[in-house]
Amino acid sequence: CYSNDGSTFIGYDRYGIIALGTYSTYSWDYTSDKIFSIYIKPDLSGGKLLFKNDASTYAQSSNAVHTFYANATWQVSIYGGSIQVPGYSVYIQSSNLMFDINSDVIGLPSNIYTLFVKYFASSTGASCGSGTYRPTCYYYSGKIEDLPDVTLFFNNENLIIPSKVYASAIGETSFYLNFRGIASSFSGKSYVTPSFQNSIILGAPFMSYYYTVFDATSGSNTIYLYGSSDSPTNWQTIWIVVGAVGAIFLVGLCCCCCAK
């Protein structure tokens, strides 16, 4: 692989961490503009890390549905808000919003998580376990598609989290609730360091629903969320198909001319 950096050492016998923050004067992992985007397939089987905004390929529309302003490590400050299900709302005090492609759930501070699971069960008629990570919920009728949206409201934005993101079917009457409570006092997948225990962490399932662009080209760190395309446009494949059809047409035309 070659970069625009010009250094003979870039990409040679190297491994480590891609650091895409903008806190440093020297952003070594950006070879041109300070922008990158993430597309994750709906089934979480893969995705793309792109150093550009390619909404025309990976989003349903070229218009972002949400815009957030972040700090140098791409965390969004929340100055009060709530997480809502029909009929219930859990207040969120000042905290941070962040993204984590290595997480398979949505993380909530432990006190918010406890109330949210309680209210979610009351709102939907489900019965959910008491664990702090991805509890199992049971319901008596209906399908996951019938479960209501969860809304994360903050900074004058209503961030919709549909049931196909926050619930995974186990059987006909049960599903995993794809949330976790986080705290530095917890263990396992619910553990976070003290600096992150007051954060809301949006994991891979959430990012598979939105095509996420991290853009610092204007000098400020801006995060754009676009409705993700389930089937990204593969223009190379399209042009191959068009070319093949064109070639078949020309061959057929030549054959007709020769027959005449």
Side-chain angles (χ1 to χ4, degrees):
C1 298
Y2 298 93
S3 73
N4 296 326
D5 184 87
S7 170
T8 56
F9 297 105
I10 296 294
Y12 176 74
D13 194 26
R14 298 292 178 92
Y15 60 90
I17 296 171
I18 300 177
L20 297 174
T22 60
Y23 59 88
S24 173
T25 304
Y26 305 100
S27 297
W28 298 113
D29 290 319
Y30 292 100
T31 57
S32 55
D33 293 330
K34 294 180 181 179
I35 184 173
F36 68 97
S37 60
I38 294 176
Y39 166 78
I40 297 178
K41 293 181 179 179
D43 62 0
L44 308 184
S45 62
K48 295 281 187 179
L49 169 63
L50 304 138
F51 289 90
K52 59 182 178 179
N53 182 342
D54 198 1
S56 61
T57 300
Y58 295 98
Q60 298 172 2
S61 168
S62 58
N63 297 319
V65 294
H66 296 287
T67 301
F68 305 121
Y69 297 99
N71 63 14
T73 56
W74 301 108
Q75 297 178 70
V76 179
S77 295
I78 296 177
Y79 304 104
S82 61
I83 184 167
Q84 304 167 0
V85 291
Y88 298 90
S89 180
V90 182
Y91 178 68
I92 298 173
Q93 295 180 339
S94 297
S95 60
N96 291 317
L97 180 80
M98 58 185 291
F99 298 84
D100 184 4
I101 61 172
N102 293 307
S103 176
D104 58 354
V105 294
I106 295 171
L108 299 174
S110 59
N111 58 328
I112 296 173
Y113 170 82
T114 300
L115 282 175
F116 169 75
V117 174
K118 175 184 176 181
Y119 292 156
F120 175 84
S122 297
S123 176
T124 60
S127 173
C128 297
S130 59
T132 60
Y133 171 79
R134 211 184 184 205
T136 299
C137 296
Y138 299 88
Y139 53 98
Y140 303 105
S141 63
K143 301 177 181 179
I144 281 182
E145 293 78 9
D146 300 327
L147 292 171
D149 291 340
V150 172
T151 303
L152 186 59
F153 175 75
F154 66 98
N155 301 358
N156 294 320
E157 295 277 352
N158 284 298
L159 196 55
I160 301 300
I161 307 173
S163 58
K164 67 179 182 179
V165 169
Y166 71 74
S168 299
I170 301 173
E172 293 183 357
T173 60
S174 59
F175 59 92
Y176 290 117
L177 186 63
N178 295 328
F179 283 85
R180 63 170 170 153
I182 57 174
S184 59
S185 59
F186 290 162
S187 60
K189 293 187 176 182
S190 289
Y191 168 78
V192 292
T193 57
S195 59
F196 293 120
Q197 65 181 356
N198 195 36
S199 298
I200 295 173
I201 304 174
L202 303 178
F206 176 88
M207 296 180 73
S208 71
Y209 186 70
Y210 292 100
Y211 170 58
T212 314
V213 178
F214 302 83
D215 187 354
T217 56
S218 66
S220 61
N221 288 30
T222 307
I223 300 173
Y224 299 101
L225 298 186
Y226 298 81
S228 182
S229 173
D230 290 342
S231 301
T233 305
N234 188 330
W235 292 108
Q236 182 179 9
T237 301
I238 290 174
W239 283 115
I240 290 173
V241 172
V242 170
V245 171
I248 292 172
F249 174 77
L250 290 175
V251 169
L253 186 61
C254 290
C255 289
C256 288
C257 292
C258 289
K260 281 189 174 181

